[in-house]
Amino acid sequence: MIKIGVIGCGFIGTQICLAVDSGAVPAEIFGIFDFSDEKANAVLKCLKSSSPVKCSPEIMIESCDLIIECASQDAVLKYALPAAENGVDMMILSVGALQDPDFYETLEKTAAANHSKIYIPSGAIAGTDGLKAAAVANLSSVSVTTRKPISGLAGSPYLIEKGIDLADIQEPTLVFEGSAAEAVVGFPKNVNVCATISLCGIGFQKTAVRIIADPTISENIHELEVSGDFGRMKMIIENRPSPQNPKSSYLAALSAVSTLKKITSPIQIGV
Ligand SMILES: NC(=O)C1=CN([C@@H]2O[C@H](COP(=O)(O)OP(=O)(O)OC[C@H]3O[C@@H](n4cnc5c(N)ncnc54)[C@H](O)[C@@H]3O)[C@@H](O)[C@H]2O)C=CC1
Ligand SMILES: O=C([O-])CC(=O)C(=O)O
């Protein structure tokens, strides 16, 4: 059984630990880490058949086969390279961290040199299978429009920098329009899906992003539009947000668990 370490014990980390603990995934949780001890303790408390240690990511890197990052872009920047250098696989949820081309290239080369894998779940969006296949030929445009309720965008660095007060927004309002590269920096906890789409398609600079703050909805809605040699694709997903963290959709946690199932299964389905 593979040994996993989980960095980040918030909504997604908790769901992953619960799925492994229930036996739905054949893996052992070796260790968990969160810089909030309270969050790590809350995970330990809800596990019935696993007894992971609370340990540093450095210890996980020495002891685990796979590290799952479900914490923040900072955690990816800090731990992804050391894990790859040690031949340890990593699943990354805070995908926006990969927008720096130098970091991405170094990570890719380091993982290749040390036979480690980087797994990026489809997260809170759908359509990555079709997009990846379409990207084998020429793509002319890829765009993502994200609509979130006010609570799903609170605290974003871009809104703070631009002096946009979400409390003033009474109707659906376009708060950002630009590249995915800019979006994942300005909204690091809100649009990692745009990073995943960029990596599947035409990259961070060419992927167009619009973010709409919408006080009339309760779902996190992502609309993906792609055109290219294959034809045209349009996908809309209306995600239920996590009750624990309204910025993140429930599907993001399910996608991480599904990726873990794929990693641990001899049968690989889909692109
Ligand atoms: N790829 C995708 O489609 C999606 C990605 N995400 C991203 O996944 C990550 C986890 O999401 P949630 O579980 O909903 O967030 P959360 O806020 O519920 O939990 C994150 C936890 O990580 C901890 N943390 C943050 N930085 C850390 C660090 N450097 N070292 C140790 N602990 C750290 C926090 O204390 C918190 O307990 C976030 O970065 C989020 O933006 C969320 C939804 C969709
Ligand atoms: O969960 C979502 O709907 C999207 C999200 O937060 C992200 O991509 O970071």
Side-chain angles (χ1 to χ4, degrees):
M1 252 194 324
I2 67 163
K3 272 193 205 172
I4 63 169
V6 177
I7 303 177
C9 297
F11 168 60
I12 296 175
T14 304
Q15 295 299 318
I16 291 168
C17 289
L18 285 173
V20 175
D21 191 56
S22 73
V25 184
E28 176 198 336
I29 318 167
F30 168 85
I32 60 170
F33 175 69
D34 197 299
F35 53 36
S36 155
D37 215 30
E38 202 183 316
K39 295 275 191 162
N41 288 338
V43 167
L44 290 181
K45 224 173 153 185
C46 64
L47 299 180
K48 293 195 169 66
S49 54
S50 326
S51 42
V53 287
K54 280 193 290 180
C55 66
S56 67
E58 287 78 7
I59 290 179
M60 288 179 193
I61 289 168
E62 289 307 318
S63 316
C64 293
D65 305 301
L66 170 73
I67 310 278
I68 304 180
E69 174 286 320
C70 37
S72 60
Q73 292 188 14
D74 283 351
V76 178
L77 297 175
K78 199 161 170 196
Y79 305 119
L81 273 175
E85 277 160 7
N86 214 39
V88 175
D89 297 342
M90 191 153 191
M91 188 194 301
I92 292 176
L93 270 299
S94 306
V95 195
L98 302 180
Q99 66 81 26
D100 175 349
D102 292 338
F103 179 73
Y104 183 87
E105 196 185 321
T106 308
L107 183 59
E108 189 178 29
K109 282 189 178 151
T110 308
N114 295 286
H115 308 289
S116 72
K117 298 264 187 228
I118 308 291
Y119 297 102
I120 300 175
S122 50
I125 200 154
T128 55
D129 51 354
L131 174 57
K132 276 197 298 179
V136 173
N138 187 50
L139 289 175
S140 38
S141 68
V142 179
S143 70
V144 181
T145 302
T146 286
R147 284 170 194 271
K148 284 199 173 192
I150 300 299
S151 58
L153 292 169
S156 309
Y158 178 89
L159 299 178
I160 294 167
E161 191 193 312
K162 297 284 172 195
I164 299 172
D165 187 350
L166 290 170
D168 293 340
I169 294 183
Q170 306 298 329
E171 57 189 38
T173 304
L174 180 70
V175 293
F176 172 87
E177 188 162 23
S179 68
E182 296 164 306
V184 298
V185 171
F187 298 83
K189 296 183 178 174
N190 317 84
V191 292
N192 288 287
V193 290
C194 298
T196 306
I197 292 302
S198 300
L199 292 169
C200 293
I202 53 175
F204 285 87
Q205 296 298 339
K206 290 187 188 152
T207 302
V209 175
R210 285 155 37 95
I211 300 174
I212 296 167
D214 189 341
T216 69
I217 57 170
S218 55
E219 301 88 7
N220 292 327
I221 303 176
H222 306 294
E223 186 171 338
L224 171 66
E225 285 187 84
V226 183
S227 64
D229 288 354
F230 75 102
R232 279 168 50 77
M233 173 171 111
K234 195 165 179 174
M235 187 287 309
I236 300 181
I237 189 156
E238 299 183 357
N239 282 316
R240 294 217 171 110
S242 138
Q244 289 84 21
N245 177 9
K247 294 183 178 66
S248 294
S249 301
Y250 182 37
L251 187 73
L254 299 178
S255 153
V257 173
S258 171
T259 301
L260 193 49
K261 282 185 168 180
K262 185 172 170 178
I263 293 168
T264 55
S265 167
I267 298 179
Q268 307 281 306
I269 305 164
V271 174

